[in-house]
Amino acid sequence: MEDLAPATDLPSAAELVPIEDLALIGDHQTAALVGRDGSIGWLCLPRFDSPACFAALLGDEENGHWRIAPKDAGACTRRAYRPDSLVLDSEWDTEDGSVRVTDFMPQRDRAPDVVRIVEGLKGRVTVRSTLRLRFDYGSVVPWMRQKDGHRVAVAGPDSVWLRSEPSVHTWGHAFGTHSEFTVEEGEKVAFVLTWHPSHEPRPSLVDPYESLEHSLEDWRAWTSQCHYDGPHRDAVLRSLITLKALTYAPTGGIVAAPTTSLPEEPGGVRNWDYRFCWLRDSTLTLGALLAAGFSEEAEAWRDWLLRAVAGNPADLQIVYGLAGERRLPEYEVPWLSGYADSAPVRIGNEAVEQLQLDVYGEVVDSLALADRSGLATPPHAWHLQLSLLEFLHKKWREPDQGLWEVRGPRRHFVYSKVMVWVAADRTVRALEENPKLRGDLDRWRTLRDEVHREVCERGYDPERNTFTQSYGSTELDASLLLIPRVGFLPPDDPRVIGTIDAVHAELGHGGLLRRYTADQTEIDGLPGQEGVFVVCSFWLADALHMTGRTKEARELFDRLLALRNDVGLLAEEYDPTSRRQLGNFPQAFSHIGLVHTALALYGADAGD
């Protein structure tokens, strides 16, 4: 191994990285995104929702990134996760030889670490590391100094330490930290980047090689719990690993995605911060985790849910912070140009202020599912459920903003009313099955029947034989596909079959499914378009299977699997025309859909 002199022609990381070129690493409290070019262009420290110290993904290299790759190289030749883990290997074949970079974040003791191990595989390869730390979403250039063999960056509340083992020649240039060295076959250089609050002393150093072994052991011990052993097991397990990686370990909350403002339309304004926990995901998440055998994670998610929604039911939010925080003020970051010039870049989420009646049903359904699955039920859970029903009894006839958080006028969304029915139905069932529970059974039966009757009268179009997006509307909505899944009507009901066919025909795009009609500016209050919504196509597969069209469902499932990138990850949306992933990435809802559909199609009870 040989140190080389500084160079002035440093490679640029400013080129746009396709969303599908990103891979995820994380430590169950935050996550980083690594491109095929070896650059980490997104990382928030110390939590998922903390300000980013690498924000090149939403701007350019001057907003922060860390690239390690062979000199003058572009994208890696190949890459893959180590089996059953979140440890990423990227390999480059060059004229001088081959090299591997292994990226991971060890489960933290106190401080978050990013470990990058460079290993020579063949020949003699020159490797460069270019680190540009920019705190507060790429806006703050830290003060950099040397101490005890480290490079130390400090600005405000943030401090980051960088070291290499063995030490390689490192220098500062153009507000960046650069290293250049060679590796031959069998030689290794490990870089460790560690964050801590700037007012605290440096945390204990981690051994990069021991951390690698421990990370692999931890992941493989966790994945060994997976019950599913059917077709496409690798895809299911990768989705489960992704959900685990999006879990904030201290509380059990699961973020919708580790990113903000990756656009639903390149150059558009549909850019949202998804680094929070949505109640809408609760039942589907819980069901996927329990069915796959991860009861500990399911119980942690259920407990997070109970803590988050505790209090006055009138104050129930649709989204909370990682620890159940309620205030998520939305503001714009003008110094970031946005991915593909998609401005504005938003921090926080204004949807926290919306009324969405469906979340009450989703919370109650989650509590019912947890109880049926044998999770220990806290004594206050039933009281909470009755409080939610009392609120719905007073408010269910009001319009709301619906599942998709529209920023247009409130409407009587059919899915919202269906989920009110779910809340009443699950409560009625619990009282019928357990006479010891306290509650007015007749009252909740009456509520259930009233909601059902109104939805069938006002939310159904008999001429087209389909339910509609909202009362009196001619528009359709993919959420209507969930009507048979939640038990509102049986799968063989002609109204269900007609709805599935209508949604499939009118919302289909490139063999996949939009969440609602393409031009709904009046409804969602936003200009522009979006791609197909990935989880909606999984819902279509589920609905087709439930109505006996399993062959079609499996064909659609295969098409959806083909949307994943080379390391098995899915974004929120997909553009069938450009064949590009869109929206925040990776998206928990998409991976929850994949797991649920695979279990429905190929699980032990799926049938032929």
Side-chain angles (χ1 to χ4, degrees), residues 48-250:
F48 289 106
D49 58 351
S50 297
C53 63
F54 299 145
L57 184 64
L58 299 180
D60 59 34
E61 64 178 17
E62 291 306 319
N63 298 122
H65 75 107
W66 183 14
R67 184 171 192 244
I68 298 181
K71 178 182 177 180
D72 300 326
C76 63
T77 308
R78 56 193 163 270
R79 65 175 182 172
Y81 286 113
R82 301 270 179 105
D84 299 348
S85 82
L86 201 67
V87 175
L88 179 70
D89 286 328
S90 304
E91 297 181 0
W92 283 261
D93 294 334
T94 73
E95 293 180 357
D96 300 319
S98 301
V99 67
R100 174 190 297 134
V101 177
T102 299
D103 291 322
F104 66 101
M105 296 184 69
Q107 292 190 37
R108 71 178 75 171
D109 178 18
R110 184 164 65 94
D113 299 286
V114 179
V115 180
R116 315 193 71 182
I117 299 175
V118 182
E119 180 180 1
L121 302 178
K122 184 174 65 174
R124 186 168 181 267
V125 181
T126 301
V127 178
R128 284 183 176 173
S129 168
T130 300
L131 170 69
R132 286 186 173 88
L133 282 162
R134 301 291 188 266
F135 297 127
D136 193 25
Y137 299 105
S139 68
V140 176
V141 180
W143 173 51
M144 185 74 72
R145 59 193 172 92
Q146 297 186 53
K147 183 177 180 181
D148 301 331
H150 292 71
R151 296 280 171 155
V152 186
V154 176
D158 300 294
S159 180
V160 167
W161 294 62
L162 174 70
R163 78 179 196 275
S164 65
E165 293 186 10
S167 179
V168 297
H169 183 61
T170 300
W171 69 97
H173 174 74
F175 300 104
T177 301
H178 311 277
S179 302
E180 187 170 304
F181 54 94
T182 63
V183 287
E184 298 183 5
E185 183 176 343
E187 291 183 332
K188 297 180 181 180
V189 175
F191 290 84
V192 182
L193 183 146
T194 304
W195 179 95
H196 70 92
S198 60
H199 64 278
E200 294 182 359
R202 186 200 69 194
S204 300
L205 302 181
V206 300
D207 182 296
Y209 302 104
E210 288 184 1
S211 294
L212 174 59
E213 294 306 314
H214 291 159
S215 291
L216 290 171
E217 290 171 3
D218 289 343
W219 276 112
R220 289 166 184 169
W222 184 81
T223 56
S224 68
Q225 303 173 66
C226 181
H227 288 174
Y228 180 72
D229 196 29
H232 308 295
R233 186 178 188 276
D234 288 347
V236 171
L237 196 55
R238 179 52 52 194
S239 289
L240 289 165
I241 289 171
T242 303
L243 291 176
K244 177 68 171 176
L246 297 180
T247 302
Y248 184 64

Side-chain angles (χ1 to χ4, degrees), residues 258-274:
T259 55
T260 178
S261 300
L262 288 179
E264 298 173 8
E265 178 186 35
V269 300
R270 296 169 181 262
N271 318 317
W272 315 111
D273 193 347
Y274 275 12

Side-chain angles (χ1 to χ4, degrees), residues 270 272 280 318 350-351 353-356 399-413 416 469 477 515-516 520-526:
R270 296 169 181 262
W272 315 111
R280 73 181 183 206
I318 66 167
E350 193 177 280
E353 305 292 340
Q354 291 188 350
L355 172 66
Q356 292 183 23
D400 71 341
Q401 266 108 4
L403 171 71
W404 306 123
E405 301 165 13
V406 299
R407 300 201 174 193
R410 291 184 178 181
R411 296 172 181 266
H412 291 283
F413 286 100
S416 296
Q469 183 182 55
D477 193 300
R515 53 180 173 172
Y516 44 67
Q520 289 216 45
T521 302
E522 180 184 350
I523 291 178
D524 66 20
L526 296 164

Side-chain angles (χ1 to χ4, degrees), residues 458-511:
R458 300 184 61 190
Y460 175 71
D461 182 345
E463 293 185 4
R464 297 162 64 205
N465 188 28
T466 181
F467 286 93
T468 58
Q469 183 182 55
S470 59
Y471 290 174
S473 168
T474 60
E475 306 293 345
L476 300 182
D477 193 300
S479 62
L480 301 171
L481 296 170
L482 299 175
I483 286 175
R485 179 193 284 187
V486 301
F488 184 83
L489 288 172
D492 60 355
D493 188 291
R495 291 166 293 183
V496 168
I497 295 172
T499 299
I500 295 171
D501 288 340
V503 168
H504 194 181
E506 295 189 26
L507 300 186
H509 178 48

